Amino acid sequence: MDKSTASQDIPKHFKPGSIEDKWYSFWEDNGFFHSEPDDDRESYTVVIPPPNVTGVLHMGHMLNNTIQDVLVRRARMQGKNACWVPGTDHASIATEAKVVQKLRKEGITKADLTRKEFLEHAWDWTDEHGGIILQQLRKLGASCDWERTRFTLEDDLYEAVIDCFIELYNRGYIYRGKRMINWDPEAQTALSDEEVIHREEQSKLYHVRYKIKDSDEWVTIATTRPETILADTAVCVNPADERYEDLIGQTAIIPIVGREVPIIADDYVDMDYGTGCLKITPAHDENDYEIGQKHNLEIIDMLNADGTLSEEAAHYVGKDRFEARDLVIKELEASGQLVEIEEMTNKVGYSERTDAIIEPRLSLQWFCKMDELAKPAQENVMNDNIQFHPAKFKNSYNHWMNNIRDWCISRQLWWGQRIPAWYYGDGKTDYVVAKTEDEAVEKAQEKSGNAELTAEDIHQDEDVLDTWFSSWLWPITVFDPEFIRTGEANEELEYYYPTQDLVTAPEIMFFWVARMIIAGYEFEGEKPFSNVYYTGIVRDSQRRKMSKSLGNSPDPIKLMEQYGTDGVRVGMLFSSPAGNDLLFEEQLCEQGRNFANKIWNAFRFLSMNRTEGTTISDSLEIDESNLVDRWMLSRLHETIDAINKDMESFRINEALHKIYSLIWDDFCDWYIELIKADESGANIPADRLSRGFNFFEQLMKLLHPFMPFITEEIWQHIRERSTEEAMIVSSWPTFNESAVSDSDQALFSLIQKMISAIRNIRAEFKLSPNDDIKLIIQAKDEKTAKALHENEWIFHKLQSIATFKAEADLEKPEKSASSVIEGTEIFVPLEGLIDLDKERERIQKEIDRLEGFLKSVEGKLNNDGFVNNAPEEVVQRERQKKEDTETNLEKLRANLEELDQ
C-alpha cells in the first residue's frame, strides 16, 4: 500500500462509503481471503450455507454471514489458516419455478420445450442472476475465499452427487417404491416431510350421510376434504365402538358416485373424533393408505399432478381440487346428505417453496433408508462430539432422529442432478443404476439376459434428486468432489476436513445440518464440523418474521448505504444471542453508526495532538506509577480474556457489548480525558499520546472482526505499515493475566463513582462545572485515604476543586452536600457557593409540591374501585409515580437537613 496513507490529514467526519470499497479491494487483491493447505498452521474452515443461486441478500443472510465473518476474521488474526468457502445452491424447485414463470411471460410453457431446451433457459437465468448475492456479500465485508467459490451444479460437484447415489444404492440404502408422499401441485413434484410447513388454520368439518345398502340406515362420517369422497373405497369404525358393531361387514354406498364399499373395523379409528366413523381414501391420505394395505382395499387416484381431478374421479374431471370441493358440497346439500358443517381448527400442510397446499399422494419415487445411516449422526451430537449452540436444540434434533423416516429423494423436475437410473423392458420395474449410458447398456444386458439390447432400448429416469441430496455433501465435495467415488482424500480434504464451525438457522436443522452429519460419518467416517451455531430469526417489532411478502423487511444494501456496513453489522449483532430471535429496529443500525462516529472522533482527537516528529512506541509500555494507565491496561486484558471466553462459547453479542463498553465508556469517556495536557490548549504529552495510541491499536484489533472497515482505516492511519502488516492479518491481542489488577480496578471504580457523585451534587444544587469546590472525603480506612491522596490529580483533572482532603476519621463539615460510595463518604461544603436561605426556600417549596402530589396519588391507590377496575398498566403507572415521588422527597429532605446543619 502507499505508505503516505498514515500521514494524510484525518477527515473531520467519518464517511464509511468512501473507505469500504477501497479496503475490500485491498484485502481481496492482496490475497488475504485466500487459503492453501499449510501444515505449519492450524486450519480454521467454515463452509457457507449456500444461498439459492437466484437469491438476493435479505436480513437473515445479513445476520448469518456477519456472524461467520466475525468468526473467520478472528481466527485469521489468531494465526490460523482461515478458509471460508463460499458458493450457491441450484435450488431445484425455487429456480425452476422462476424459469417457468419467466417463460410463461414470453408465451412459452415448459411442455413446449425439450429437456435440453429448458435447461438452456435455466442456465441463462442462472448466469444472469446467479452472482448477485455473492456480490452483495462482498458489500457486507464477508472475507470469503472467492477463489474457491462453488456452485452445486458444477460438473465435478454434479458428478459427486451421482457417485453418492450409486454408492448408497450399492450399499442397499436407496430403493424405488410406491409410497404415500407429499405432493406440491404447483411445482408438480414430491416433497420431503421437512419441506412441508404446517400452519394452524380455521377449517370446516363436513358431516356427510352414507347410505347402508339394503336397509333404511345411514351412517355419518366427518371429513375436512369432502372432494376425496369421490375416491373412497371403504368406511371404517373402531371394533370396540358399540354404536357401529352391527354395521361391520355390511356395505355402504358412497355419495355422488354410488360406489358400494365395505364397512370395516380397525383400532386406528378414534371413537371420540367426529362421528367415530371414518371414510377411507387410500390414495389420498397416509393413514388411509396403511389401512387400505392392511385390508386389501381398492386404490382410486382421483387427482392429477396439477391438483385437478383425474379420470378416475369420474366426476368434475379437470376441475381444480378446491373448485371440486365446492361442487361436491353443493351436490351433497342438494341430495340431503350434508348433515352439518362444523367450524374447527386444524393444521394444514403448505409447500415450503411454493406455498401451495400439499396433497398426500401415492407415488412411485426414490427413497433413501435413514434408520441405520442416522445412528452415528445422532450419537455424536448427543455426546457433544458435535456441539450445538445453544445446546437446547439437541432436544429437537434427538426427537427428529428418534422418529426419522425414509427420505424421498426424487423430484419431478428438470433442473438438478438427474437420477442415474436407466429403464428397459416394461419401463417400470426393469431398471439398472449406472453413471453413464454405456455402463447402463452393459448392466441392462447382463440383468435382462438380452445381449442384443442397445442404447435405443433404454431411457434414463426423467426426475432429478432433491437439492438437499447435493448440499449434504457440501463440506466434503467443495474440497474433493472425487472422494465419494474413490474413498481416498486429496490434500485439501485431508487438511480442511472436518471443518470447525457451521453457522445456520434452526429451521434447516433437519434439511441440512442433520444430513451433513449423516453424510460425514457415512462417507468420511468423521464429523463434518465441530460446532453448530444456530442464529435466530430476524423479526420486526411486532415479532413478525421479516419477509418481502409482508413488506416489513428493509433492503440490506440501502441500510448499509445509510448507516455504513460497520454500523449495520453492529446493529445486527447487538441483540442476536445464539438461537434467539432478533427483534430488528433501524435504531440498532443508528446505534452502530454512532459507535463508529465515537471511535472516529476519539481517533481524530488523538491524531490532532500529534506534532511533527511525534513517534509512537512499537509496544505498549505503561507508566507503572500512573493509576490510570494501570487501570486501562487491567481493563484491556480483563476484556481480552472475557471476549475470548465469549467467542469460544459463541456468545458473540456479549463479546461485542464488552468491546463496545471498553471503547466507549472506559477509553473515550475516561482514559482520553485523563491523558490530556494539564494546561488548556496544549497538546497531549508525547509519552501519554504514545500510550494512548498503543491502547487504541489493541482496541481496534479486538473490534476488527465486528467492524472491519473503520478499524482497517484507523490502523493504516496510525502509523506507516507494509501490506503484510494490514489490520486483517495483524495478531489477535494476547491475554496477560498478570496485567489484570483487581485492586487497581476497584480503586479507579471508586474514584469514578465519587466523581459521578460530585457531578450529581453540582446538578442538584445548580453549581456550575467551573465553580471551585472544596472536597472533603471520609475514607473507610487509612489505606483508601492514602490511595485517594496519591491520585488527587484525577479529581483536579476532572473537577474544579479548590481544596482536597481525604482522611479515615474526620469531623463531618456543616452545611455540606454529601454522598456515600462503598463506605466512603464525600462532602461538598455549600457555604459561599449558594445562597443558603434561598436554597432552603426553594427546596421546601418543592417538598410541599411533591407532598401534595403524593397525597393525590395515594388517594387513587387507596381507592379499591380504582385499583380493581382500572387497566393494570394504569394502576402500575400510579404505583411508579408514588415510588418516584417518595425517592425525590427523600433526597430533598436530606438536602434540606444538610443545609440546616
Side-chain angles (χ1 to χ4, degrees), residues 41-99:
R41 287 189 293 161
E42 176 187 352
S43 68
Y44 176 80
T45 316
V46 172
V47 292
I48 203 169
N52 288 355
V53 68
T54 57
V56 294
L57 199 66
H58 58 60
M59 297 302 286
H61 291 137
M62 288 278 288
L63 175 61
N64 181 283
N65 287 281
T66 297
I67 291 169
Q68 289 178 82
D69 194 47
V70 169
L71 295 172
V72 170
R73 285 181 181 272
R74 177 172 176 269
R76 190 181 289 118
M77 294 175 73
Q78 289 177 308
K80 297 176 183 178
N81 190 357
C83 180
W84 183 9
V85 181
T88 48
D89 189 280
H90 62 281
S92 295
I93 297 175
T95 304
E96 185 151 324
K98 287 180 180 292
V99 175

Side-chain angles (χ1 to χ4, degrees), residues 50 85-89 134 146-152 154 156-157 474 477-481:
V85 181
T88 48
D89 189 280
L134 299 184
W146 298 110
E147 295 178 44
R148 292 182 173 276
T149 303
R150 303 308 303 258
F151 175 46
T152 51
E154 289 175 24
D156 55 353
L157 295 188
W474 190 246
T477 54
V478 292
F479 297 113
D480 187 357

Side-chain angles (χ1 to χ4, degrees), residues 439-688:
E439 183 184 343
V441 170
E442 290 181 16
K443 285 188 172 184
Q445 288 174 344
E446 182 179 348
K447 189 174 179 180
S448 66
N450 179 8
E452 303 299 318
L453 189 145
T454 69
E456 297 295 321
D457 302 313
I458 66 173
H459 66 276
Q460 189 175 356
D461 198 307
E462 291 292 323
D463 294 348
V464 298
L465 288 159
D466 179 13
T467 302
W468 301 102
F469 196 82
S470 63
S471 58
W472 77 328
L473 303 175
W474 190 246
I476 298 173
T477 54
V478 292
F479 297 113
D480 187 357
E482 295 185 3
F483 175 77
I484 303 299
R485 176 174 52 83
T486 66
E488 296 180 5
N490 64 11
E491 179 190 12
E492 295 218 329
L493 190 61
E494 285 278 3
Y495 182 75
Y496 291 116
Y497 190 96
T499 67
Q500 275 64 54
D501 301 326
L502 178 73
V503 180
T504 189
E507 57 258 37
I508 58 172
M509 182 192 301
F510 312 122
F511 283 123
W512 193 45
V513 178
R515 289 170 179 165
M516 280 191 290
I517 299 172
I518 290 169
Y521 283 107
E522 178 63 19
F523 292 105
E524 250 282 0
E526 175 63 283
K527 60 186 177 183
F529 29 71
S530 297
N531 297 286
V532 183
Y533 176 102
Y534 290 109
T535 65
I537 297 171
V538 183
R539 299 185 182 276
D540 63 17
S541 57
Q542 300 177 45
R543 304 196 71 84
R544 299 176 303 174
K545 182 178 179 179
M546 285 192 166
S547 68
K548 287 184 179 178
S549 59
L550 288 177
N552 64 341
S553 180
D555 182 340
I557 301 301
K558 289 182 179 177
L559 281 179
M560 289 187 281
E561 289 172 351
Q562 182 174 356
Y563 298 104
T565 298
D566 287 330
V568 176
R569 286 168 63 115
V570 167
M572 294 289 290
L573 293 175
F574 259 142
S575 58
S576 57
N580 289 336
D581 292 350
L582 183 154
L583 299 182
F584 181 80
E585 295 181 358
E586 254 186 66
Q587 292 93 313
L588 293 167
C589 297
E590 187 175 358
Q591 186 178 356
R593 181 182 63 188
N594 292 344
F595 185 37
N597 290 336
K598 180 85 169 181
I599 294 166
W600 188 257
N601 290 337
F603 167 61
R604 187 168 177 273
F605 175 77
L606 292 176
S607 299
M608 288 169 59
N609 279 269
R610 294 177 76 164
T611 58
E612 191 75 28
T614 297
T615 59
I616 300 171
S617 173
D618 291 333
S619 60
L620 176 54
E621 296 178 4
I622 66 165
D623 178 357
E624 291 289 351
S625 66
N626 187 318
L627 172 64
V628 178
D629 274 7
R630 299 198 310 271
W631 164 76
M632 191 66 214
L633 185 68
S634 181
R635 283 287 298 120
L636 171 65
H637 283 276
E638 180 182 58
T639 305
I640 292 171
D641 184 41
I643 287 176
N644 286 341
K645 290 174 180 175
D646 283 341
M647 295 297 286
E648 287 159 12
S649 301
F650 294 87
R651 298 189 298 264
I652 294 173
N653 70 318
E654 293 182 31
L656 176 57
H657 278 287
K658 287 181 175 70
I659 183 60
Y660 178 92
S661 177
L662 183 66
I663 292 174
W664 190 298
D665 301 330
D666 296 336
F667 187 78
C668 294
D669 289 355
W670 288 93
Y671 185 78
I672 288 181
E673 287 298 311
L674 289 167
I675 67 169
K676 288 180 178 178
D678 297 326
E679 298 177 18
S680 177
N683 286 328
I684 297 174
D687 59 335
R688 295 186 204 169

Side-chain angles (χ1 to χ4, degrees), residues 228-368:
T228 61
I229 287 173
L230 304 176
D232 284 355
T233 57
V235 171
C236 189
V237 298
N238 192 298
D241 195 333
E242 295 178 357
R243 294 173 296 175
Y244 302 118
E245 59 185 356
D246 293 341
L247 296 179
I248 298 172
Q250 294 194 48
T251 300
I253 300 174
I254 304 300
I256 300 176
V257 295
R259 184 183 307 114
E260 297 183 1
V261 301
I263 300 176
I264 61 176
D266 198 284
D267 291 334
Y268 168 76
V269 178
D270 182 352
M271 291 187 287
D272 297 324
Y273 177 79
T275 64
C277 193
L278 194 68
K279 60 189 284 304
I280 305 299
T281 317
H284 299 285
D285 182 274
E286 186 170 358
N287 296 312
D288 287 11
Y289 176 72
E290 296 297 329
I291 293 174
Q293 292 294 100
K294 185 176 176 181
H295 294 271
N296 296 314
L297 299 177
E298 181 186 2
I299 295 174
I300 298 174
D301 187 353
M302 56 164 280
L303 285 178
N304 294 315
D306 62 356
T308 58
L309 269 61
S310 69
E311 294 287 345
E312 288 190 55
H315 290 67
Y316 312 122
V317 174
K319 299 288 186 183
D320 177 77
R321 55 186 166 151
F322 298 118
E323 183 183 357
R325 176 178 297 180
D326 293 336
L327 293 170
V328 165
I329 293 167
K330 286 182 180 178
E331 192 164 344
L332 290 172
E333 283 180 318
S335 67
Q337 288 178 276
L338 183 64
V339 178
E340 67 171 314
I341 302 174
E342 181 184 346
E343 296 293 329
M344 66 172 293
T345 301
N346 72 332
K347 289 188 175 180
V348 179
Y350 285 81
S351 167
E352 193 257 347
R353 292 298 181 192
T354 66
D355 206 39
I357 294 178
I358 62 102
E359 285 287 344
R361 190 182 191 210
L362 193 61
S363 180
L364 189 60
Q365 301 285 343
W366 289 92
F367 296 88
C368 183

